Amino acid sequence: MDILNATTPNGLAETYLIDSIVKGKYEHGKILPAERELAEHIGVTRTTLREVTGRMGRDGWLTIRHGRPTRVNDIKNTLSLTALNSLCYLDEANSSSYIKDILDLRCSVAPLYISSALVESREGAIQVLGLAVRASELMSTSFDEFRLKSELFEDYKASVEYGQVLVSRLEESENIALSAAWLDFWVYQQLAHLASNKIYGLVVNSLKPTYMDVLSGLYQSAENIHNLRAHHRTVLKSLKNGKTAEVLESFDRFGAKTMKLWNRAA
């Protein structure tokens, strides 16, 4: 972990503190140096440091109590999912393991909320996959001159909430790999929100930064983008035919393939 790669004062402070905690410089149960001393050591303002430690307190790295010193937590028992992205990219020794576990979690949990989504709103699921298929068809596969044919989205851009969100995100994407990553994540996210248990949606939301980083790397390959398109078409066809088992099998195969691709690239 190289704190010199941090591009902002907040990033510098957060990287330094997480690095120090992960590597045991600041052991759990120990008290951090005084705010003024620590800010000067890192090279940031006290206001910046206070913002960073406040966020780290919410994520579970630190215990912060008014009028008392800031204490380092036993992070194994206190970190929340919001800290996962930091762990993946700042804890270099275990980052590959974290990412593998995240993809494995998607394979394990997705069938639960997808099954529920199909019971709660099969039509909603058909709408989600229909938009995903349409979006993938409108994306150029050229890496040299990536363009989204945004004018072709207009026929449904304002028709439904799903379309509005999907189009705005795709139009903001800088390249086809990022667009494909967003499309992949978005389908899982929307199906999770259709499930009866709304906690699934919150869990998927919290994993978004890590998913996007991992998936945008995988979708540098045109072959993987074609696989994503084929997967969405297959799922949509099964949904329209009322074949729930085939839908779940398709997601299972796709998840396993994503895991295999990651293992190959890691």
Side-chain angles (χ1 to χ4, degrees), residues 174-218:
E174 298 176 356
N175 55 58
I176 191 171
L178 191 59
S179 292
W182 173 259
L183 197 56
D184 183 330
F185 170 79
W186 181 83
V187 168
Y188 281 91
Q189 181 190 48
Q190 298 309 310
L191 293 177
H193 286 305
L194 288 175
S196 59
N197 187 334
K198 300 308 177 187
I199 302 302
Y200 286 130
L202 297 179
V203 171
V204 174
N205 286 347
S206 67
L207 294 172
K208 176 187 170 185
T210 308
Y211 276 139
M212 290 297 293
D213 284 343
V214 173
L215 295 174
S216 61
L218 291 178

Side-chain angles (χ1 to χ4, degrees), residues 37-56:
E37 176 189 345
L38 186 56
E40 290 179 355
H41 177 71
I42 299 173
V44 298
T45 66
R46 294 175 66 183
T47 299
T48 295
L49 180 61
R50 200 172 300 128
E51 291 174 356
V52 169
T53 54
R55 183 168 60 251
M56 291 179 65

Side-chain angles (χ1 to χ4, degrees), residues 19-262:
D19 185 42
S20 298
I21 293 171
V22 168
K23 292 183 177 177
K25 179 177 180 179
Y26 298 142
E27 297 178 347
H28 72 80
K30 301 297 184 179
I31 293 172
L32 286 184
E35 185 180 86
R36 183 188 300 276
E37 176 189 345
L38 186 56
E40 290 179 355
H41 177 71
I42 299 173
V44 298
T45 66
R46 294 175 66 183
T47 299
T48 295
L49 180 61
R50 200 172 300 128
E51 291 174 356
V52 169
T53 54
R55 183 168 60 251
M56 291 179 65
R58 291 188 293 274
D59 288 350
W61 295 96
L62 305 169
T63 293
I64 302 173
R65 295 178 180 173
H66 183 67
R68 296 186 182 182
T70 298
R71 190 177 299 274
V72 178
N73 289 337
D74 178 5
I75 59 174
K76 181 178 68 176
N77 295 313
T78 59
L79 284 186
S80 64
L81 280 174
T82 54
L84 189 55
N85 200 52
S86 296
L87 276 175
C88 286
Y89 296 99
L90 297 180
D91 183 1
E92 295 174 346
N94 299 299
S95 60
S96 293
S97 177
Y98 288 131
I99 294 172
K100 181 179 178 181
D101 288 345
I102 291 168
L103 294 175
D104 182 63
L105 179 67
R106 181 161 89 158
C107 291
S108 301
V109 176
L112 301 178
Y113 61 73
I114 292 173
S115 297
S116 177
L118 299 187
V119 171
E120 294 296 314
S121 179
R122 179 174 291 272
E123 287 304 314
I126 289 174
Q127 188 178 58
V128 168
L129 267 300
L131 285 166
V133 168
R134 177 66 169 152
S136 70
E137 291 171 349
L138 298 180
M139 287 193 298
S140 168
T141 57
S142 169
F143 286 90
D144 296 326
E145 190 174 345
F146 168 71
R147 293 291 185 273
L148 275 171
K149 303 173 185 176
S150 57
E151 70 279 1
L152 300 181
F153 279 109
E154 296 301 329
D155 60 342
Y156 70 89
K157 184 173 182 179
S159 62
V160 290
E161 180 183 358
Y162 296 133
Q164 293 170 1
V165 174
L166 177 58
V167 172
S168 65
R169 293 298 184 183
L170 289 176
E171 289 179 336
E172 291 170 5
S173 298
E174 298 176 356
N175 55 58
I176 191 171
L178 191 59
S179 292
W182 173 259
L183 197 56
D184 183 330
F185 170 79
W186 181 83
V187 168
Y188 281 91
Q189 181 190 48
Q190 298 309 310
L191 293 177
H193 286 305
L194 288 175
S196 59
N197 187 334
K198 300 308 177 187
I199 302 302
Y200 286 130
L202 297 179
V203 171
V204 174
N205 286 347
S206 67
L207 294 172
K208 176 187 170 185
T210 308
Y211 276 139
M212 290 297 293
D213 284 343
V214 173
L215 295 174
S216 61
L218 291 178
Y219 289 123
Q220 296 294 330
S221 162
E223 179 184 356
N224 294 344
I225 293 174
H226 287 306
N227 289 337
L228 177 67
R229 289 172 170 154
H231 165 63
H232 287 160
R233 292 191 191 104
T234 299
V235 171
L236 180 60
K237 181 179 179 180
S238 297
L239 279 170
K240 289 181 174 179
N241 291 333
K243 297 182 178 180
T244 299
E246 287 186 4
V247 171
L248 297 177
E249 288 170 5
S250 293
F251 274 102
D252 185 59
R253 287 195 302 272
F254 182 72
K257 183 178 290 186
T258 302
M259 281 284 294
K260 185 176 180 180
L261 290 171
W262 165 253

